[in-house]
Amino acid sequence: MLRNAEYGPRATGYVKGKSLIVGLLLPWALTACMPGTIETAVGTGIVLEQERKYEYQHNVERAVDLYIADHADSPCTNGEDRVLDSAVEIIKKYRLSGFKEVVERLETIYRDPQQTDSVRAAALYNMAVLHSRNEPPNKARAREYFKRLYIEFPDHYRCIFEESEWRDSMIEKQLLLPGETVESFLEDAERDIERRQAE
């Protein structure tokens, strides 16, 4: 008994010492493994980000192609309904901030009285198109910009407002809210335009 009691505290000290050594060595052993783990995680993150970027750029290109196809039958004969190539490039290049940056630049141009009417009208038109074609589309904002374009710049972009099957198909595709028809949209737009012109 005395002998066991004598070795008991030593045995406990031995276990504690062993635990201390394991406790000190384990983090070092894990740290030795960490660089590879971190590199793998970073590498995987870079690959995923690249995949997202390429998918996003592909989606932007697809949206541009769809816009071009939609406007192939446009009544605008001078190409005034084209979207700015520079805006598309910025949106394509900067996945997270490109759209916001382009819209802010266009808004600045639109609000600058030093710019000509044609430049300001083009900024408004491009904002309307970008909002209507964004994913998801902001139809309310697009409608507002198209109305402003119609009211504020009566000598510009009249080709897109002329009555035609093309115009009605674009309204149906890009601007209608749930439950609306092309006719109800046009009636509402007409009332809103008359109200604004009277102010």
Side-chain angles (χ1 to χ4, degrees), residues 169-183:
S169 71
M170 288 300 100
I171 289 172
E172 188 172 336
K173 189 173 188 176
Q174 301 296 321
L175 300 174
L176 292 188
L177 299 175
E180 273 189 321
T181 63
V182 172
E183 292 75 24

Side-chain angles (χ1 to χ4, degrees), residues 10 52 58 86 95 102 149 163 173 197:
R10 273 197 228 146
R52 283 191 200 111
H58 180 69
S86 56
R95 179 170 67 86
V102 167
L149 182 62
E163 186 176 340
K173 189 173 188 176
Q197 286 173 333

Side-chain angles (χ1 to χ4, degrees), residues 159-174:
C159 55
I160 66 167
F161 296 111
E162 289 174 4
E163 186 176 340
S164 67
E165 284 183 26
W166 176 84
R167 179 201 67 182
D168 292 352
S169 71
M170 288 300 100
I171 289 172
E172 188 172 336
K173 189 173 188 176
Q174 301 296 321

Side-chain angles (χ1 to χ4, degrees), residues 5-188:
E6 197 175 304
Y7 288 111
R10 273 197 228 146
T12 304
Y14 173 74
V15 170
K16 285 182 182 175
K18 189 176 178 183
S19 296
L20 181 62
I21 290 169
V22 169
L24 291 171
L25 292 177
L26 186 60
W28 177 80
L30 289 175
T31 305
C33 296
M34 288 295 278
T37 305
I38 290 170
E39 286 172 13
T40 303
V42 169
T44 303
I46 290 170
V47 168
L48 286 173
E49 183 57 29
Q50 285 297 328
E51 286 177 0
R52 283 191 200 111
K53 183 178 177 183
Y54 291 137
E55 181 184 358
Y56 170 77
Q57 288 175 341
H58 180 69
N59 289 341
V60 171
E61 287 167 3
R62 191 167 50 231
V64 170
D65 290 344
L66 184 59
Y67 177 83
I68 291 168
D70 284 343
H71 284 250
D73 298 326
S74 160
C76 300
T77 55
N78 298 318
E80 58 265 53
D81 58 337
R82 282 189 54 154
V83 171
L84 295 170
D85 291 334
S86 56
V88 172
E89 284 308 308
I90 291 170
I91 290 170
K92 198 158 69 170
K93 187 172 180 182
Y94 302 102
R95 179 170 67 86
L96 300 176
S97 61
F99 184 86
K100 184 179 178 203
E101 182 181 333
V102 167
V103 169
E104 285 175 355
R105 286 185 188 183
L106 291 170
E107 187 77 40
T108 300
I109 291 168
Y110 160 65
R111 296 201 177 281
D112 182 0
Q114 302 297 315
Q115 300 291 339
T116 64
D117 279 359
S118 61
V119 169
R120 293 178 64 224
L124 205 49
Y125 175 76
N126 277 272
M127 285 192 290
V129 169
L130 290 174
H131 278 293
S132 71
R133 301 269 174 170
N134 196 17
E135 194 54 52
N138 186 337
K139 293 184 179 183
R141 186 67 59 89
R143 291 159 69 115
E144 177 61 27
Y145 287 141
F146 276 121
K147 285 177 187 175
R148 283 193 211 170
L149 182 62
Y150 186 85
I151 295 165
E152 295 177 28
F153 302 100
D155 299 327
H156 300 275
Y157 289 94
R158 276 313 184 242
C159 55
I160 66 167
F161 296 111
E162 289 174 4
E163 186 176 340
S164 67
E165 284 183 26
W166 176 84
R167 179 201 67 182
D168 292 352
S169 71
M170 288 300 100
I171 289 172
E172 188 172 336
K173 189 173 188 176
Q174 301 296 321
L175 300 174
L176 292 188
L177 299 175
E180 273 189 321
T181 63
V182 172
E183 292 75 24
S184 67
F185 169 82
L186 291 171
E187 287 168 7
D188 180 57

